[in-house]
Amino acid sequence: MAYLATDIKPVFPEERLLLELLENREIFSLQKANVWAHENKYYIDGKKHIVSLKKFEDADISYLQQGIEANKLKVSYDEFNVQIDRFIKYNRKRFNNIKYEAHEFIKREAGKYQEDNIVLSFSGGKDSTVVADLVIKALGNPYLVHIFGDTTLEFPMTMEYAKRYKASHALADFLTAKNREQIFLDVCKDIGPPARMMRWCCSMFKTGPITRVIYENYRNEQILTFYGIRKHESVSRSKYNRVEKGSESVKIQQQTVAAPIFYWTDIDVWLYIFSEKIDFNDAYRLGYDRVGCWCCPNNNSRAQFLSKIYMPEQAKVWQDFLIDFAKKIGKPDAEEYVNSGKWKARQGGNGLASASDVKIQFTNCTSEEHAKIYKLTKPYSDELINMFVPFGRVAPELGNKLLHEVIVLDIKTNVPILSIQPFSQDGYNYAVKIKTMNVKKHADLQRMAGYQVRKYNACRQCLKCESLCRSGAISIIGDEYHINAEKCVHCKVCVNQKYLAGGCMMDKYLRTK
């Protein structure tokens, strides 16, 4: 097959067997055909063939599992390998061009950093596998640090592949980032399952843990991370730049990210894998297009269908949870809500008790100008006071001791700008009074103060704030949000609407209409 500038992938013998069973074709009738695909569109010997989504939905999973089990040992790669050899031969020029360009890009960007500050982001997917191989070969350095984000929601095949990769790259420093404090399903019960526009799981189970690993190993140093982002993967990723540093699109502010395969399509990635004879994740052989979290709301119905076949126990637990959740939030037909995929479009915290935590409730103080009395969901404490470190120097010694008042001084002028004190207010079990002073824009400062109240009331340890902080000042210690005053540089990124809308990720995930 000659090169096509589109996102198509090879269909491996294992997926061909499944297609034969799904469409009641003669077993192994597709093994000698030249088969490529894009999602549910198959190209068989050059002819397009669409498998309807309804066919996936109505499939007899038990029948397919039995058919796969009975025939999997007879699957042969002989003809497939001949086809791939032909594919490599016809596209040698394309391969040489994209490899050369990627190597030049890598060497150019890596030249701006010390080699010890260069990191490979490794997910176990085909894109990060190719990027790792490109960088190691371009720089001639097999010792580079790899950071593997174990989200706890990885495909079993991904975990198996990560072990194989680590064993075959014994000289590399292979670090694993994992959230060992949170349990995914428990968080889902509290704030609802992640949805397409509300993927809280990325921060809590991927970006946050990776941030911690980066800080543990590099402290405040800026690092260069090569990762497998591609422009063609999604609309959101098409808006990225090939190199990003310090923008709101960079999830971990301590790193500059560079994408060697940014302009590649799926077929480019497979051309590289086959040409370089690289081992890869076996989930692709089964028909998966992507191998991130197996229950990701961005997975299509075809991926869900495959998981019912190859991960039946996990798929059932997830299905049962989603139905229970739908009932909990008052959906009249819970199964239809789940099976139709409507849960993926869920927005906000409607129907959830936890939604009240993100509502900033306050009254204006009648006795003092520029003062608000905020409702708290738990008693006033040192944890709340500590959240005002980004605004300046927290000086409890300057406040009225009888009122337990704390003053915050502007870090540059040493002038008081905030007064914070516990308060009694009708209708509020717990409250805090916050007054702004000696500033031109009282509303702006009060709004940012409100963000910190929201964090105090609603924090679910999503780790987003840790990822935003370049100085490593923010951390979650036990169940408490903590800002190290000695490390904080008062950049106020953690209370900046541009980087953190509403001041807390939970505002997005739990806000109600």
Side-chain angles (χ1 to χ4, degrees), residues 230-290:
R230 290 190 293 115
K231 183 182 178 73
H232 296 280
E233 287 181 287
S234 66
V235 173
S236 61
R237 291 186 173 184
S238 69
K239 299 174 183 177
Y240 290 3
N241 294 310
R242 197 177 188 186
V243 179
E244 292 276 11
K245 177 183 179 181
S247 69
E248 57 268 33
S249 64
V250 179
K251 295 178 181 178
I252 301 173
Q253 289 295 302
Q254 196 181 335
Q255 65 177 353
T256 299
V257 290
I261 62 171
F262 188 64
Y263 299 108
W264 292 22
T265 60
D266 260 7
I267 202 169
D268 286 326
V269 174
W270 286 112
L271 177 60
Y272 186 90
I273 287 173
F274 292 137
S275 297
E276 296 290 88
K277 302 189 185 316
I278 301 172
D279 183 23
F280 57 89
N281 193 319
D282 288 331
Y284 295 112
R285 300 180 191 275
L286 305 180
Y288 287 101
D289 297 320
R290 61 189 301 274

Side-chain angles (χ1 to χ4, degrees), residues 120 136 141-146 165-166 168-175:
L120 299 177
I136 290 170
N141 185 353
Y143 299 95
L144 290 171
V145 172
H146 293 57
Y165 183 95
K166 184 178 180 180
S168 63
H169 294 75
L171 297 178
D173 195 357
F174 198 88
L175 308 177

Side-chain angles (χ1 to χ4, degrees), residues 437-474:
M437 60 188 90
N438 303 315
V439 294
K440 291 182 179 179
K441 297 181 179 180
H442 289 273
D444 288 350
L445 182 55
Q446 193 68 250
R447 184 186 69 253
M448 290 189 288
Y451 289 165
Q452 298 306 75
V453 171
R454 174 175 282 143
K455 285 189 179 86
Y456 184 68
N457 287 341
C459 180
R460 288 324 195 261
Q461 293 88 49
C462 77
L463 309 184
K464 175 65 175 179
C465 293
E466 287 191 24
S467 301
L468 284 175
C469 186
R470 289 188 180 186
S471 61
I474 301 175

Side-chain angles (χ1 to χ4, degrees), residues 135-406:
V135 175
I136 290 170
K137 289 175 179 174
L139 301 182
N141 185 353
Y143 299 95
L144 290 171
V145 172
H146 293 57
I147 298 181
F148 172 58
D150 179 359
T151 63
T152 74
L153 302 168
E154 305 297 331
F155 286 92
M157 294 78 78
T158 299
M159 300 307 293
E160 292 166 6
Y161 174 60
K163 289 179 182 177
R164 292 202 310 269
Y165 183 95
K166 184 178 180 180
S168 63
H169 294 75
L171 297 178
D173 195 357
F174 198 88
L175 308 177
T176 298
K178 183 177 181 179
N179 185 335
R180 293 177 171 83
E181 298 163 0
Q182 308 268 53
I183 298 173
F184 175 70
L185 272 182
D186 288 348
V187 181
C188 287
K189 291 172 185 175
D190 178 28
I191 65 175
R196 286 196 181 105
M197 300 301 292
M198 305 195 314
R199 297 203 311 279
W200 52 260
C201 46
C202 293
S203 178
M204 189 176 293
F205 289 94
K206 186 175 182 180
T207 310
I210 290 175
T211 300
R212 289 179 167 180
V213 168
I214 289 174
Y215 185 72
E216 286 169 7
N217 287 272
Y218 298 96
R219 294 303 172 187
N220 298 331
E221 295 181 41
Q222 191 75 10
I223 66 170
L224 172 64
T225 299
F226 286 107
Y227 70 157
I229 292 293
R230 290 190 293 115
K231 183 182 178 73
H232 296 280
E233 287 181 287
S234 66
V235 173
S236 61
R237 291 186 173 184
S238 69
K239 299 174 183 177
Y240 290 3
N241 294 310
R242 197 177 188 186
V243 179
E244 292 276 11
K245 177 183 179 181
S247 69
E248 57 268 33
S249 64
V250 179
K251 295 178 181 178
I252 301 173
Q253 289 295 302
Q254 196 181 335
Q255 65 177 353
T256 299
V257 290
I261 62 171
F262 188 64
Y263 299 108
W264 292 22
T265 60
D266 260 7
I267 202 169
D268 286 326
V269 174
W270 286 112
L271 177 60
Y272 186 90
I273 287 173
F274 292 137
S275 297
E276 296 290 88
K277 302 189 185 316
I278 301 172
D279 183 23
F280 57 89
N281 193 319
D282 288 331
Y284 295 112
R285 300 180 191 275
L286 305 180
Y288 287 101
D289 297 320
R290 61 189 301 274
V291 293
C293 300
W294 68 267
C295 56
C296 179
N298 276 349
N299 288 346
N300 56 30
S301 56
R302 187 166 155 279
Q304 293 171 240
F305 157 76
L306 290 170
S307 291
K308 289 179 182 178
I309 295 173
Y310 296 109
M311 302 174 58
E313 292 180 7
Q314 296 99 316
K316 186 178 187 307
V317 168
W318 184 235
Q319 177 84 356
D320 290 347
F321 165 77
L322 289 174
I323 292 173
D324 287 344
F325 171 77
K327 293 176 180 177
K328 177 181 176 181
I329 62 174
K331 296 300 177 183
D333 189 339
E335 290 197 24
E336 191 278 334
Y337 174 77
V338 173
N339 293 333
S340 65
K342 291 180 181 177
W343 67 273
K344 299 178 181 180
R346 185 180 69 85
Q347 294 188 40
N350 293 300
L352 292 171
S354 54
S356 62
D357 291 350
V358 300
K359 296 176 181 176
I360 299 180
Q361 298 182 50
F362 67 90
T363 58
N364 291 312
C365 183
T366 56
S367 61
E368 290 186 271
E369 192 178 9
H370 305 309
K372 295 182 185 295
I373 301 160
Y374 292 92
K375 181 179 180 179
L376 302 178
T377 60
K378 53 188 176 182
Y380 177 96
S381 71
D382 289 341
E383 180 187 2
L384 176 61
I385 296 302
N386 176 255
M387 286 186 164
F388 288 85
V389 167
F391 296 92
R393 185 173 78 82
V394 177
E397 71 278 4
L398 298 180
N400 186 321
K401 290 180 173 56
L402 291 177
L403 298 177
H404 301 286
E405 181 187 32
V406 172

Side-chain angles (χ1 to χ4, degrees), residues 21-45:
L21 291 165
L22 181 66
E23 297 200 313
N24 295 313
R25 295 171 179 256
E26 181 183 348
I27 298 299
F28 301 135
S29 61
L30 292 176
Q31 298 302 310
K32 292 186 178 181
N34 195 356
V35 189
W36 297 74
H38 175 65
E39 296 180 348
N40 64 323
K41 299 182 185 69
Y42 290 84
Y43 299 87
I44 304 172
D45 290 330

Side-chain angles (χ1 to χ4, degrees), residues 46-111:
K47 296 180 180 179
K48 185 165 76 172
H49 174 72
I50 298 177
V51 179
S52 70
L53 297 179
K54 184 169 176 49
K55 186 164 285 188
F56 294 131
E57 295 168 4
D58 296 342
D60 184 336
I61 300 299
S62 179
Y63 165 76
L64 295 174
Q65 289 171 330
Q66 292 172 13
I68 290 169
E69 187 63 29
N71 294 284
K72 65 181 183 180
L73 296 180
K74 302 173 188 175
V75 168
S76 170
Y77 267 73
D78 291 345
E79 187 60 35
F80 178 84
N81 289 336
V82 171
Q83 295 168 5
I84 294 304
D85 287 343
R86 190 180 305 131
F87 169 62
I88 294 170
K89 178 182 177 182
Y90 289 160
N91 295 287
R92 179 62 64 184
K93 183 176 180 180
R94 172 69 182 180
F95 165 72
N96 289 335
N97 288 340
I98 60 174
K99 179 181 176 181
Y100 174 80
E101 193 281 333
H103 278 201
E104 291 301 300
F105 169 80
I106 291 164
K107 286 185 280 190
R108 183 169 63 250
E109 295 305 318

Side-chain angles (χ1 to χ4, degrees), residues 417-433:
I417 57 172
L418 285 169
S419 164
I420 307 163
Q421 68 181 77
F423 205 80
S424 294
Q425 175 73 14
D426 291 343
Y428 294 176
N429 290 330
Y430 313 107
V432 59
K433 183 172 79 172

